[in-house]
Coordinates of all heavy atoms in Angstrom, one line a residue:
N11 N 4.9 14.6 -8.8 CA 4.7 15.0 -7.5 C 5.9 14.8 -6.7 O 6.8 14.0 -7.1 CB 3.5 14.3 -6.8 CG 2.2 14.6 -7.5 OD1 1.9 15.7 -7.9 ND2 1.4 13.5 -7.6
D12 N 6.0 15.4 -5.6 CA 7.1 15.1 -4.6 C 6.7 15.2 -3.2 O 7.2 16.0 -2.4 CB 8.3 16.1 -4.9 CG 9.6 15.6 -4.3 OD1 9.7 14.4 -4.1 OD2 10.5 16.4 -4.0
F13 N 5.6 14.5 -2.9 CA 5.1 14.5 -1.6 C 6.1 13.7 -0.7 O 6.7 12.8 -1.1 CB 3.7 13.8 -1.5 CG 2.6 14.5 -2.2 CD1 2.0 14.0 -3.3 CD2 2.2 15.7 -1.7 CE1 1.0 14.7 -4.0 CE2 1.2 16.5 -2.4 CZ 0.6 15.9 -3.5
T14 N 6.2 14.2 0.6 CA 7.1 13.6 1.5 C 6.3 13.2 2.8 O 5.2 13.5 3.0 CB 8.2 14.6 1.9 OG1 7.7 15.7 2.5 CG2 9.0 14.9 0.7
G15 N 7.0 12.6 3.7 CA 6.5 12.2 5.0 C 6.0 10.8 5.0 O 6.4 10.0 4.1
T16 N 5.2 10.4 6.0 CA 4.7 9.0 6.1 C 3.2 9.0 5.8 O 2.5 10.0 5.8 CB 4.9 8.5 7.5 OG1 4.2 9.4 8.4 CG2 6.4 8.4 7.9
L17 N 2.7 7.8 5.4 CA 1.3 7.7 5.2 C 0.6 7.5 6.5 O 1.0 6.8 7.3 CB 1.0 6.5 4.3 CG 1.5 6.5 2.8 CD1 1.1 5.2 2.1 CD2 1.0 7.7 2.1
P18 N -0.5 8.2 6.7 CA -1.2 8.1 8.0 C -2.0 6.8 8.2 O -2.5 6.2 7.2 CB -2.2 9.3 7.9 CG -2.5 9.5 6.5 CD -1.2 9.1 5.8
A19 N -2.0 6.4 9.4 CA -2.7 5.1 9.8 C -4.2 5.3 9.5 O -4.9 4.3 9.3 CB -2.5 4.8 11.2
T20 N -4.7 6.5 9.5 CA -6.1 6.7 9.2 C -6.6 6.3 7.9 O -7.8 6.2 7.6 CB -6.5 8.2 9.5 OG1 -5.6 9.0 8.7 CG2 -6.4 8.6 10.9
L21 N -5.7 6.0 7.0 CA -6.1 5.4 5.7 C -6.9 4.2 5.8 O -7.8 3.9 5.0 CB -4.8 5.1 4.8 CG -4.1 6.3 4.2 CD1 -2.8 5.8 3.6 CD2 -5.0 7.0 3.2
G22 N -6.7 3.5 6.9 CA -7.4 2.3 7.2 C -8.9 2.5 7.5 O -9.7 1.5 7.5
T23 N -9.3 3.7 7.7 CA -10.7 4.0 7.9 C -11.5 4.3 6.7 O -12.7 4.5 6.7 CB -10.9 5.2 8.9 OG1 -10.3 6.4 8.2 CG2 -10.1 4.9 10.2
L24 N -10.8 4.3 5.5 CA -11.5 4.6 4.3 C -12.1 3.4 3.7 O -11.6 2.8 2.7 CB -10.5 5.3 3.3 CG -9.8 6.5 3.8 CD1 -8.7 7.0 2.8 CD2 -10.8 7.6 4.0
S25 N -13.3 3.0 4.2 CA -13.9 1.7 3.9 C -14.3 1.5 2.5 O -14.5 0.4 2.1 CB -15.0 1.4 4.9 OG -16.0 2.4 4.8
Y26 N -14.5 2.6 1.7 CA -15.0 2.4 0.4 C -13.9 2.7 -0.7 O -14.2 2.7 -1.9 CB -16.2 3.3 0.1 CG -17.4 2.9 0.9 CD1 -17.8 3.7 2.0 CD2 -18.2 1.8 0.6 CE1 -18.9 3.3 2.8 CE2 -19.3 1.4 1.3 CZ -19.6 2.2 2.4 OH -20.7 1.8 3.2
L27 N -12.7 2.8 -0.2 CA -11.6 3.0 -1.1 C -11.3 1.8 -2.0 O -11.1 0.7 -1.5 CB -10.3 3.4 -0.3 CG -9.1 3.8 -1.0 CD1 -9.3 5.2 -1.7 CD2 -7.9 3.9 -0.1
T28 N -11.3 2.0 -3.3 CA -11.0 0.8 -4.2 C -9.6 0.9 -4.8 O -9.0 -0.1 -5.2 CB -12.0 0.7 -5.3 OG1 -12.1 1.9 -6.1 CG2 -13.4 0.4 -4.7
G29 N -9.1 2.1 -4.9 CA -7.7 2.3 -5.5 C -7.0 3.4 -4.7 O -7.5 4.4 -4.4
F30 N -5.7 3.1 -4.4 CA -4.9 4.1 -3.7 C -3.6 4.2 -4.5 O -2.9 3.3 -4.6 CB -4.6 3.7 -2.3 CG -3.9 4.8 -1.5 CD1 -4.5 6.0 -1.2 CD2 -2.6 4.6 -1.1 CE1 -3.8 7.0 -0.5 CE2 -1.9 5.6 -0.5 CZ -2.5 6.8 -0.2
Y31 N -3.4 5.4 -5.0 CA -2.2 5.7 -5.9 C -1.3 6.8 -5.2 O -1.7 7.9 -5.1 CB -2.7 6.2 -7.2 CG -3.6 5.2 -7.9 CD1 -5.0 5.3 -7.7 CD2 -3.1 4.3 -8.8 CE1 -5.8 4.4 -8.3 CE2 -4.0 3.4 -9.4 CZ -5.3 3.5 -9.2 OH -6.2 2.6 -9.8
A32 N -0.2 6.3 -4.7 CA 0.8 7.3 -4.1 C 2.2 7.1 -4.6 O 3.2 7.3 -4.0 CB 0.8 7.1 -2.6
Y33 N 2.2 6.7 -5.9 CA 3.5 6.3 -6.5 C 4.3 7.6 -7.0 O 3.7 8.7 -7.1 CB 3.3 5.4 -7.7 CG 2.5 5.9 -8.8 CD1 3.1 6.6 -9.9 CD2 1.1 5.8 -8.8 CE1 2.3 7.1 -10.9 CE2 0.3 6.3 -9.8 CZ 1.0 7.0 -10.9 OH 0.2 7.5 -11.9
D34 N 5.6 7.4 -7.2 CA 6.5 8.4 -7.7 C 6.5 9.7 -6.8 O 6.3 10.8 -7.3 CB 6.0 8.8 -9.1 CG 7.0 8.4 -10.2 OD1 8.1 7.9 -9.8 OD2 6.7 8.4 -11.4
N35 N 6.7 9.5 -5.5 CA 6.8 10.5 -4.6 C 8.0 10.3 -3.7 O 8.9 9.5 -4.1 CB 5.6 10.7 -3.7 CG 4.4 11.3 -4.5 OD1 4.5 12.5 -4.7 ND2 3.5 10.5 -4.9
S36 N 8.1 10.9 -2.5 CA 9.2 10.6 -1.6 C 8.6 10.2 -0.2 O 9.2 10.6 0.8 CB 10.1 11.9 -1.5 OG 10.7 12.1 -2.7
F37 N 7.5 9.5 -0.2 CA 7.0 9.0 1.1 C 8.0 8.0 1.7 O 8.7 7.3 1.0 CB 5.6 8.3 0.8 CG 4.5 9.2 0.5 CD1 3.9 9.1 -0.7 CD2 4.0 10.1 1.5 CE1 2.8 9.9 -1.0 CE2 3.0 10.9 1.2 CZ 2.4 10.9 -0.1
S38 N 8.1 8.0 3.0 CA 9.1 7.2 3.7 C 8.4 6.5 4.9 O 7.2 6.7 5.2 CB 10.2 8.0 4.1 OG 9.8 9.1 5.0
G39 N 9.2 5.7 5.6 CA 8.7 5.0 6.7 C 8.1 3.7 6.3 O 8.1 3.3 5.1
P40 N 7.4 3.0 7.2 CA 6.8 1.8 6.9 C 5.5 2.0 6.1 O 4.8 3.0 6.2 CB 6.5 1.1 8.3 CG 6.3 2.3 9.2 CD 7.3 3.4 8.7
I41 N 5.1 0.9 5.4 CA 3.8 0.9 4.8 C 2.8 0.6 5.9 O 3.0 -0.3 6.6 CB 3.7 -0.2 3.7 CG1 4.7 0.1 2.6 CG2 2.2 -0.3 3.2 CD1 4.8 -1.0 1.5
P42 N 1.8 1.5 6.1 CA 0.9 1.3 7.3 C 0.2 -0.1 7.3 O -0.5 -0.5 6.3 CB -0.1 2.4 7.1 CG 0.5 3.4 6.2 CD 1.4 2.6 5.3
E43 N 0.3 -0.7 8.4 CA -0.4 -2.0 8.6 C -2.0 -1.8 8.4 O -2.7 -2.7 8.0 CB -0.1 -2.5 10.1 CG -0.7 -3.8 10.4 CD 0.1 -5.0 9.9 OE1 1.4 -4.8 9.8 OE2 -0.5 -6.0 9.6
E44 N -2.5 -0.6 8.8 CA -3.9 -0.3 8.7 C -4.5 -0.4 7.3 O -5.7 -0.5 7.1 CB -4.2 1.1 9.3 CG -3.9 1.1 10.8 CD -2.5 1.3 11.2 OE1 -1.6 1.4 10.3 OE2 -2.2 1.3 12.4
L45 N -3.6 -0.3 6.3 CA -4.1 -0.5 4.9 C -4.8 -1.8 4.7 O -5.7 -2.0 3.9 CB -3.0 -0.3 3.9 CG -2.6 1.2 3.5 CD1 -1.4 1.2 2.7 CD2 -3.8 1.9 2.9
G46 N -4.4 -2.8 5.5 CA -5.0 -4.1 5.4 C -6.5 -4.1 5.9 O -7.2 -5.1 5.8
L47 N -6.9 -3.0 6.5 CA -8.3 -2.9 7.0 C -9.3 -2.4 5.9 O -10.5 -2.5 6.1 CB -8.4 -2.0 8.2 CG -7.6 -2.3 9.4 CD1 -7.7 -1.2 10.4 CD2 -8.1 -3.7 10.0
V48 N -8.8 -2.0 4.8 CA -9.6 -1.4 3.7 C -10.0 -2.6 2.8 O -9.4 -2.9 1.8 CB -8.8 -0.3 2.9 CG1 -9.8 0.3 1.9 CG2 -8.2 0.7 3.8
E49 N -11.1 -3.3 3.2 CA -11.5 -4.5 2.5 C -11.9 -4.3 1.1 O -11.8 -5.3 0.3 CB -12.7 -5.1 3.3 CG -12.3 -5.6 4.7 CD -13.5 -6.1 5.5 OE1 -14.6 -6.0 5.0 OE2 -13.3 -6.5 6.6
S50 N -12.2 -3.1 0.6 CA -12.6 -2.9 -0.7 C -11.5 -2.6 -1.7 O -11.6 -2.4 -2.9 CB -13.6 -1.7 -0.8 OG -13.1 -0.6 -0.2
L51 N -10.3 -2.5 -1.1 CA -9.1 -2.1 -1.9 C -8.8 -3.1 -3.0 O -8.6 -4.3 -2.7 CB -7.9 -1.9 -1.0 CG -6.7 -1.1 -1.5 CD1 -7.1 0.3 -1.9 CD2 -5.6 -1.0 -0.5
E52 N -8.7 -2.6 -4.2 CA -8.4 -3.5 -5.4 C -7.0 -3.2 -6.0 O -6.4 -4.1 -6.5 CB -9.5 -3.3 -6.5 CG -10.9 -3.7 -6.1 CD -11.9 -3.3 -7.1 OE1 -11.5 -2.8 -8.2 OE2 -13.1 -3.5 -6.9
I53 N -6.6 -2.0 -5.9 CA -5.3 -1.5 -6.4 C -4.6 -0.7 -5.4 O -5.1 0.3 -4.9 CB -5.5 -0.7 -7.7 CG1 -6.2 -1.5 -8.8 CG2 -4.1 -0.2 -8.2 CD1 -6.6 -0.7 -10.0
L54 N -3.3 -1.1 -5.1 CA -2.5 -0.4 -4.2 C -1.2 -0.1 -4.9 O -0.4 -1.0 -5.2 CB -2.2 -1.2 -2.9 CG -1.4 -0.5 -1.8 CD1 -1.9 0.8 -1.4 CD2 -1.2 -1.5 -0.6
S55 N -1.0 1.2 -5.2 CA 0.2 1.6 -6.0 C 1.1 2.5 -5.2 O 0.8 3.7 -5.0 CB -0.3 2.3 -7.3 OG 0.8 2.6 -8.1
L56 N 2.2 1.9 -4.7 CA 3.1 2.6 -3.8 C 4.5 2.6 -4.3 O 5.5 3.0 -3.6 CB 3.1 2.0 -2.4 CG 1.8 1.9 -1.7 CD1 1.9 1.2 -0.3 CD2 1.2 3.3 -1.4
H57 N 4.7 2.3 -5.6 CA 6.0 2.1 -6.1 C 6.8 3.5 -6.3 O 6.1 4.5 -6.3 CB 6.0 1.4 -7.5 CG 5.3 2.1 -8.6 ND1 5.9 3.0 -9.4 CD2 4.0 2.1 -9.0 CE1 5.1 3.5 -10.3 NE2 3.9 2.9 -10.0
S58 N 8.1 3.4 -6.3 CA 8.9 4.6 -6.5 C 8.8 5.6 -5.4 O 8.5 6.8 -5.7 CB 8.7 5.2 -7.9 OG 8.9 4.2 -8.9
N59 N 9.0 5.2 -4.2 CA 9.0 6.0 -3.0 C 10.2 5.7 -2.2 O 11.2 5.1 -2.7 CB 7.7 5.9 -2.2 CG 6.6 6.7 -2.7 OD1 6.5 7.9 -2.6 ND2 5.6 6.0 -3.4
K60 N 10.1 5.9 -0.9 CA 11.2 5.6 0.0 C 10.7 4.8 1.2 O 11.2 4.9 2.3 CB 11.9 6.9 0.5 CG 12.6 7.6 -0.6 CD 13.2 8.9 -0.1 CE 13.8 9.7 -1.3 NZ 14.3 11.0 -0.9
F61 N 9.7 4.0 1.0 CA 9.2 3.1 2.1 C 10.2 2.1 2.5 O 11.0 1.7 1.7 CB 7.9 2.4 1.6 CG 6.7 3.3 1.4 CD1 6.2 3.5 0.1 CD2 6.1 3.9 2.5 CE1 5.1 4.3 -0.1 CE2 5.0 4.8 2.3 CZ 4.5 5.0 1.0
S62 N 10.2 1.8 3.8 CA 11.1 0.9 4.4 C 10.4 -0.1 5.3 O 9.2 0.0 5.5 CB 12.2 1.6 5.2 OG 11.6 2.4 6.2
G63 N 11.1 -1.1 5.8 CA 10.5 -2.1 6.6 C 10.0 -3.3 5.8 O 10.5 -3.5 4.7
T64 N 9.1 -4.0 6.3 CA 8.5 -5.2 5.6 C 7.1 -4.9 5.1 O 6.5 -4.0 5.5 CB 8.5 -6.4 6.5 OG1 7.7 -6.1 7.7 CG2 9.9 -6.8 7.0
V65 N 6.7 -5.7 4.2 CA 5.3 -5.6 3.7 C 4.4 -6.1 4.8 O 4.6 -7.1 5.3 CB 5.1 -6.5 2.4 CG1 3.7 -6.5 1.9 CG2 6.1 -6.1 1.3
P66 N 3.4 -5.2 5.2 CA 2.5 -5.6 6.3 C 1.8 -6.9 6.0 O 1.2 -7.1 4.9 CB 1.6 -4.4 6.4 CG 2.2 -3.3 5.7 CD 3.1 -3.9 4.6
E67 N 1.8 -7.8 7.0 CA 1.0 -9.0 6.9 C -0.5 -8.8 6.7 O -1.1 -9.6 6.0 CB 1.2 -9.8 8.2 CG 2.5 -10.5 8.4 CD 2.8 -11.6 7.5 OE1 1.8 -12.4 7.3 OE2 3.9 -11.7 6.9
S68 N -1.0 -7.6 7.1 CA -2.4 -7.4 7.0 C -2.8 -7.3 5.5 O -4.0 -7.5 5.2 CB -2.8 -6.1 7.7 OG -2.1 -5.0 7.1
L69 N -1.9 -7.0 4.6 CA -2.2 -6.9 3.2 C -2.7 -8.2 2.6 O -3.4 -8.3 1.6 CB -1.0 -6.3 2.4 CG -0.6 -4.9 2.7 CD1 0.5 -4.4 1.7 CD2 -1.8 -3.9 2.6
Y70 N -2.2 -9.3 3.3 CA -2.6 -10.6 2.8 C -4.1 -10.9 3.0 O -4.7 -11.8 2.5 CB -1.8 -11.7 3.5 CG -0.4 -11.8 3.0 CD1 0.6 -11.3 3.8 CD2 -0.1 -12.3 1.8 CE1 1.9 -11.4 3.4 CE2 1.2 -12.3 1.3 CZ 2.2 -11.9 2.2 OH 3.5 -11.9 1.7
N71 N -4.8 -10.1 3.9 CA -6.2 -10.2 4.2 C -7.1 -9.5 3.2 O -8.3 -9.6 3.2 CB -6.5 -9.7 5.6 CG -5.8 -10.4 6.7 OD1 -5.5 -11.6 6.5 ND2 -5.4 -9.7 7.7
L72 N -6.5 -8.8 2.3 CA -7.3 -8.0 1.3 C -7.8 -8.9 0.2 O -7.1 -9.1 -0.8 CB -6.5 -6.8 0.7 CG -6.1 -5.8 1.8 CD1 -5.1 -4.8 1.2 CD2 -7.3 -5.1 2.3
R73 N -8.9 -9.4 0.3 CA -9.5 -10.4 -0.7 C -9.8 -9.8 -2.0 O -9.8 -10.5 -3.0 CB -10.8 -11.0 -0.1 CG -10.7 -11.6 1.2 CD -10.6 -13.1 1.1 NE -10.5 -13.7 2.4 CZ -9.4 -14.3 2.9 NH1 -8.4 -14.4 2.2 NH2 -9.5 -14.9 4.1
E74 N -10.0 -8.5 -2.1 CA -10.3 -7.8 -3.4 C -9.1 -7.3 -4.1 O -9.2 -6.9 -5.2 CB -11.3 -6.6 -3.1 CG -12.6 -7.0 -2.5 CD -13.4 -8.0 -3.3 OE1 -13.4 -7.8 -4.6 OE2 -14.0 -8.9 -2.8
L75 N -7.9 -7.3 -3.4 CA -6.7 -6.8 -4.0 C -6.3 -7.5 -5.2 O -6.1 -8.7 -5.2 CB -5.6 -6.8 -3.0 CG -4.3 -6.0 -3.4 CD1 -4.6 -4.5 -3.5 CD2 -3.2 -6.2 -2.3
Q76 N -6.2 -6.8 -6.4 CA -5.9 -7.4 -7.6 C -4.5 -7.0 -8.1 O -3.8 -7.7 -8.8 CB -6.9 -7.0 -8.7 CG -8.3 -7.5 -8.4 CD -9.3 -6.9 -9.4 OE1 -8.9 -6.4 -10.5 NE2 -10.5 -6.9 -9.0
R77 N -4.1 -5.8 -7.7 CA -2.8 -5.2 -8.2 C -2.1 -4.6 -7.0 O -2.6 -3.8 -6.3 CB -2.9 -4.2 -9.2 CG -3.7 -4.6 -10.4 CD -2.8 -5.1 -11.5 NE -3.4 -5.3 -12.8 CZ -4.1 -6.4 -13.1 NH1 -4.2 -7.4 -12.3 NH2 -4.6 -6.5 -14.3
L78 N -0.8 -5.0 -6.8 CA 0.0 -4.4 -5.7 C 1.3 -4.0 -6.3 O 2.1 -4.9 -6.9 CB 0.3 -5.5 -4.6 CG 1.3 -5.1 -3.5 CD1 0.8 -3.9 -2.7 CD2 1.5 -6.3 -2.6
F79 N 1.6 -2.7 -6.3 CA 2.9 -2.2 -6.9 C 3.7 -1.6 -5.7 O 3.3 -0.5 -5.2 CB 2.5 -1.1 -7.9 CG 1.7 -1.6 -9.0 CD1 0.3 -1.3 -9.0 CD2 2.2 -2.3 -10.1 CE1 -0.5 -1.8 -10.1 CE2 1.4 -2.8 -11.1 CZ 0.0 -2.5 -11.1
I80 N 4.8 -2.2 -5.4 CA 5.7 -1.7 -4.3 C 7.1 -1.7 -4.7 O 8.0 -1.5 -3.9 CB 5.5 -2.5 -3.0 CG1 5.7 -4.0 -3.3 CG2 4.1 -2.3 -2.4 CD1 5.8 -4.8 -2.0
S81 N 7.4 -1.8 -6.0 CA 8.9 -1.8 -6.4 C 9.5 -0.5 -6.2 O 8.8 0.5 -6.0 CB 9.0 -2.3 -7.9 OG 8.3 -1.3 -8.7
N82 N 10.8 -0.4 -6.3 CA 11.6 0.8 -6.1 C 11.3 1.5 -4.8 O 11.1 2.7 -4.7 CB 11.3 1.8 -7.3 CG 11.8 1.2 -8.6 OD1 12.8 0.6 -8.7 ND2 11.0 1.4 -9.7
N83 N 11.4 0.7 -3.7 CA 11.3 1.2 -2.4 C 12.4 0.4 -1.6 O 13.2 -0.3 -2.2 CB 9.9 0.9 -1.7 CG 8.9 1.8 -2.2 OD1 8.9 3.0 -1.8 ND2 7.9 1.4 -3.0
A84 N 12.5 0.6 -0.3 CA 13.5 -0.1 0.5 C 12.8 -1.1 1.4 O 13.3 -1.4 2.5 CB 14.3 0.9 1.3
V85 N 11.7 -1.7 0.9 CA 11.1 -2.8 1.7 C 11.8 -4.1 1.6 O 12.5 -4.3 0.6 CB 9.6 -3.0 1.3 CG1 8.7 -1.7 1.7 CG2 9.4 -3.3 -0.1
T86 N 11.7 -4.9 2.6 CA 12.5 -6.1 2.7 C 11.5 -7.3 2.9 O 10.3 -7.1 3.2 CB 13.5 -6.1 3.8 OG1 12.8 -6.0 5.0 CG2 14.6 -5.0 3.6
G87 N 12.0 -8.5 2.7 CA 11.2 -9.7 2.9 C 10.7 -10.2 1.5 O 11.1 -9.8 0.5
T88 N 9.9 -11.3 1.6 CA 9.4 -11.9 0.4 C 7.9 -11.9 0.5 O 7.3 -11.9 1.6 CB 9.9 -13.3 0.3 OG1 9.6 -14.1 1.5 CG2 11.4 -13.4 0.1
L89 N 7.3 -12.0 -0.7 CA 5.8 -12.1 -0.8 C 5.5 -13.6 -1.1 O 6.2 -14.2 -1.9 CB 5.3 -11.2 -1.9 CG 5.5 -9.8 -1.7 CD1 5.0 -9.0 -2.9 CD2 4.7 -9.3 -0.5
S90 N 4.5 -14.1 -0.4 CA 4.1 -15.5 -0.7 C 2.8 -15.5 -1.5 O 2.1 -14.5 -1.6 CB 4.0 -16.3 0.6 OG 2.9 -15.8 1.3
N91 N 2.5 -16.7 -2.1 CA 1.2 -16.9 -2.8 C 0.2 -17.4 -1.8 O -0.3 -18.5 -1.9 CB 1.4 -17.9 -3.9 CG 2.0 -17.3 -5.1 OD1 2.0 -16.1 -5.3 ND2 2.6 -18.1 -6.0
R92 N -0.3 -16.5 -1.0 CA -1.4 -17.0 0.0 C -2.7 -16.8 -0.7 O -3.0 -16.0 -1.4 CB -1.3 -16.1 1.2 CG -0.2 -16.4 2.1 CD -0.4 -15.7 3.4 NE 0.9 -15.4 4.0 CZ 1.0 -14.9 5.2 NH1 0.0 -14.7 5.9 NH2 2.2 -14.7 5.7

């Protein structure tokens, strides 16, 4: 695929979403803070895009999250073992 643009904040309203796969595209901009509202999210695959900024703090609230793939982007900062 070669999808472009930013991810919409409305992704945070998908309350039953367990996996979100948007890897290997050309999405850009920040990773939406609202993704941290999807409490059922188990897998978040955003690698190999053009995301920038920092990893949203809200992702630390995702108790069901088992896999987070964000490599090959332009995000900065560090992840902690919270």
Side-chain angles (χ1 to χ4, degrees):
N11 298 321
D12 198 25
F13 293 113
T14 61
T16 59
L17 293 181
T20 53
L21 286 171
T23 65
L24 302 174
S25 57
Y26 295 104
L27 186 69
T28 58
F30 185 69
Y31 304 87
Y33 62 91
D34 253 349
N35 285 287
S36 294
F37 288 115
S38 59
I41 297 171
E43 185 78 32
E44 291 81 3
L45 279 173
L47 299 174
V48 186
E49 294 176 356
S50 58
L51 197 59
E52 298 174 5
I53 300 171
L54 180 57
S55 184
L56 303 175
H57 65 87
S58 302
N59 279 285
K60 297 177 181 177
F61 290 112
S62 59
T64 58
V65 177
E67 287 288 320
S68 65
L69 295 184
Y70 289 108
N71 298 329
L72 296 174
R73 305 259 184 248
E74 302 299 320
L75 191 64
Q76 299 171 19
R77 305 267 192 273
L78 173 64
F79 302 100
I80 56 171
S81 63
N82 296 321
N83 282 290
V85 292
T86 60
T88 58
L89 296 175
S90 67
N91 281 338
R92 289 192 207 184

